[in-house]
Amino acid sequence: MRRTMAACSTLLLAALTAACATSGQTQTQQADQNQNAPVTLSFWSTGGDDETATFQKAADLYKQKHPNVTVKVQTLSWSDAYAKLLAAATSRNGPDIISGGMTWTIQFGARGAMVDLRKHGADSLKSQALPAQWESAVSPDGSVYGVPLDMSTLALYYRTDLLEQAKVEPPKTWEELTAAIGKLKAAGIKKPYGQDWGNLDWIGYFNYLYQAGGSFYTPDCKPSLNTPQAEQALKYWVDLYREHGAPTATVEGADALDTGTAMVVAGNWIAKGLDVNKPKLKGKWAMTTIPAGPAGPTTFIGGRAIGVTSFSKYVQTATDFVTFMYTDEAITAIADEARKRNISYIPPRPDKIVNGSVFTPEQAQVFETAIKTGKAAPGCPGWDESAPDVTKQLQSAILGKADIKTALAEAAKVMERNAG
């Protein structure tokens, strides 16, 4: 299932600021957890029903070890999850555990709706998580309002038959990518290249920005788009559309390959289902890491964070369940169910990407390689508010409505305005 870093509107976040800043000051009375009385935890999981079922397997396993604790996992769709979590935070009436976009728990935690898990020992998970993803989930002040629950990333999927027809090798660098597009066109391939996840979006630019040696923010969370690296990245990205014909209309990765696109950048979630959902492609496609820029092969790392709400009556038990999700047995239970449901699950522990993976060994190796040099979304204040407008400024350059320097300057102004 397609996974997105959902963008929250300024209106929603303004409401959250007003409502949760005050509600977070009230301490929820904790239930007596020293008894063996039954405890039921509600876990709102952003994603699809199949993904919910995989996490429920881990919850059922947890109950086997803690017979008095029942964890009920409920699906929230990406389209309305943030609004529902906002309502819960405002009313201080909702789930014990939530999962959503990597930076969501930071935004909710800053407004009093999440528990700082350091107080309950969950920061011990840091040594097991991917450093870049952990950094994205942790608040700039060090508060751990959520920890990574899983990972998602990108790969370059390609049609082996079409590349062979054009005598093209899978590109490994920016220069090789544009050269390959030219050769494919010359060979009569009408759709040489496309982008799925991140097409015309800040996530798409993210890869080029970091591959050029740039970043959205400085280490102390100041906007960092007024650099030669940011300009170089945006120029290359814009040129893919305006000079090399990358389509501005987004086509889902599997559909793009099936309808004759030779190369497409797409998320890990299509890898498991391609042969099943597009049987005519079987034996005609492969995948590799996305082409590297002048500063290296950085790839965007997405995924979800999981945390405990401040209005839960069972904070310690809920935190213990969050910690349990990092154990070998929980990850194995999730992966086994994901394999049955053809879900492209990547666990939050890098050491588990290949060992016991839901992917073929070749696919797992691609994702492991990508994640080693990956970077996650900024965890800086105001990023979630800024992301939609930053995307609009980047699009203005692609669509020829603004020059590169102006687009980046306007994007930086948005980020600075929302930083607070």
Side-chain angles (χ1 to χ4, degrees), residues 46-133:
T46 303
D49 288 337
D50 280 337
E51 291 169 306
T52 293
T54 67
F55 297 136
Q56 188 63 58
K57 286 293 182 181
D60 294 343
L61 184 60
Y62 185 82
K63 183 172 179 60
Q64 290 180 22
K65 297 178 174 298
H66 305 83
N68 63 316
V69 180
T70 300
V71 181
K72 294 183 178 180
V73 190
Q74 176 183 335
T75 302
L76 298 183
S77 69
W78 282 105
S79 61
D80 63 2
Y82 199 94
K84 289 184 176 180
L85 292 172
L86 167 64
T90 302
S91 65
R92 296 186 63 80
N93 180 27
D96 302 278
I97 301 164
I98 68 168
S99 73
M102 283 301 303
T103 56
W104 289 11
T105 53
I106 296 174
Q107 304 300 331
F108 279 92
R111 294 161 175 86
M114 304 298 297
V115 170
D116 184 348
L117 299 176
R118 292 178 300 178
K119 299 175 182 179
H120 302 276
D123 54 333
S124 62
L125 301 174
K126 179 178 180 179
S127 62
Q128 300 180 69
L130 181 75
Q133 199 185 29

Side-chain angles (χ1 to χ4, degrees), residues 120-248:
H120 302 276
D123 54 333
S124 62
L125 301 174
K126 179 178 180 179
S127 62
Q128 300 180 69
L130 181 75
Q133 199 185 29
W134 183 271
E135 180 181 344
S136 177
V138 173
S139 176
D141 68 4
S143 300
V144 181
Y145 296 122
V147 298
L149 174 62
D150 59 4
M151 287 190 265
S152 53
T153 190
L154 299 117
L156 180 69
Y157 297 82
Y158 59 93
R159 288 278 298 268
T160 53
D161 55 339
L162 299 181
L163 265 63
E164 182 179 346
Q165 177 184 326
K167 296 181 172 55
V168 169
E169 293 293 324
K172 296 180 179 179
T173 65
W174 286 7
E175 294 78 10
E176 289 182 9
L177 174 58
T178 53
I181 292 171
K183 290 180 180 178
L184 286 160
K185 287 180 178 178
I189 308 299
K190 294 181 179 180
K191 295 186 285 187
Y193 177 74
Q195 299 179 132
D196 176 7
W197 194 25
N199 192 38
L200 291 185
D201 187 87
W202 68 266
I203 293 175
Y205 175 60
F206 183 104
N207 296 297
Y208 301 109
L209 176 61
Y210 284 82
Q211 289 170 0
S215 61
F216 279 107
Y217 293 92
T218 63
D220 59 347
C221 283
K222 303 296 183 183
S224 182
L225 292 179
N226 61 337
T227 64
Q229 294 86 351
E231 291 182 22
Q232 180 185 22
L234 186 52
K235 183 180 186 307
Y236 182 82
W237 194 42
V238 167
D239 284 349
L240 284 175
Y241 296 96
R242 302 182 68 183
E243 302 295 330
H244 301 287
T248 54

